[in-house]
Amino acid sequence: MTTTTPARTTTRMAALVSEIRTVVDRGLAPDLTAYLVGERLAPHLGASDLLTAEQQEGDPDHYRQHILHAEADGSFSVVALVWMPGQETCIHDHVSWCVAGVHQGEESERRYRLAPGADAARLVATEDVVNAQGEVCGFAPPGDIHKVRNSCTGKAISIHVYGADVSRLGSSIRRVYTLPVD
């Protein structure tokens, strides 16, 4: 993954950040925060004035992360992930609650759970989900192990809101899983 920081924020993105701030400042439980942030994100997805052209640029080798906003107090950040066809993440979980909405294209997600094994834990796939443009999903750890992939024939862009400062951390990934998968 490559990471870039934007040259400017659009008026629509500034409005979305303000809406997210209002939710986060309430100090609610992580799962409820994710749900309410998802409600704020959904109406902005697909809007042509949400991202600059620069913030929609991909990378031919791996998905690209554009940091759109990091709250000064570290309470949340907003990123655009740009995926070329076939690009995917590793199997991972997150450092905080997360909301993801598909701005353009389509993303496939495989969700997992940890299961005990005779010698070691293993991953068991629990659900396959295809998220189309305009769809939002959110979660809070634990139970947030997944892998995401651009499964469409064109570029896909998703907007992610994390309850952490991704500009400081570099990524929202807490742990990468290399366990056997059933």
Side-chain angles (χ1 to χ4, degrees):
M1 169 183 60
T2 56
T3 300
T4 60
T5 303
R8 68 179 181 89
T9 298
T10 66
T11 301
R12 182 181 285 273
M13 180 56 66
L16 174 58
V17 166
S18 179
E19 293 175 40
I20 294 167
R21 184 179 295 121
T22 299
V23 171
V24 172
D25 284 351
R26 292 173 65 186
L28 302 170
D31 56 343
L32 182 55
T33 298
Y35 176 80
L36 294 172
V37 167
E39 284 187 332
R40 302 316 183 275
L41 175 60
H44 297 279
L45 296 171
S48 61
D49 60 343
L50 182 62
L51 302 173
T52 66
E54 176 183 73
Q55 294 163 348
Q56 298 176 61
E57 292 176 359
D59 183 305
D61 297 323
H62 33 74
Y63 70 95
R64 187 171 187 180
Q65 173 179 268
H66 297 274
I67 299 174
L68 306 174
H69 176 80
E71 193 71 352
D73 67 2
S75 60
F76 72 92
S77 52
V78 183
V79 303
L81 296 182
V82 182
W83 315 73
M84 304 312 287
Q87 291 179 342
E88 63 186 10
T89 67
C90 53
I91 300 172
H92 65 280
D93 62 8
H94 298 86
V95 297
S96 70
W97 60 265
C98 175
V99 174
V102 179
H103 180 63
Q104 174 185 318
E106 181 177 279
E107 293 177 357
S108 296
E109 177 186 17
R110 176 165 278 178
R111 298 175 183 167
Y112 298 90
R113 69 175 173 81
L114 278 174
D119 297 321
R122 66 188 193 292
L123 291 170
V124 176
T126 60
E127 186 176 18
D128 287 310
V129 178
V130 177
N131 297 305
Q133 191 274 318
E135 294 184 325
V136 174
C137 65
F139 51 81
D144 61 320
I145 304 169
H146 69 162
K147 179 178 188 170
V148 181
R149 179 176 192 274
N150 175 357
S151 56
C152 63
T153 58
K155 178 170 55 177
I157 302 173
S158 51
I159 307 299
H160 296 240
V161 184
Y162 300 106
D165 185 347
V166 172
S167 69
R168 185 177 57 79
L169 298 174
S171 170
S172 69
I173 294 174
R174 178 174 67 119
R175 180 174 36 208
V176 171
Y177 291 85
T178 57
L179 298 170
V181 177
D182 285 352

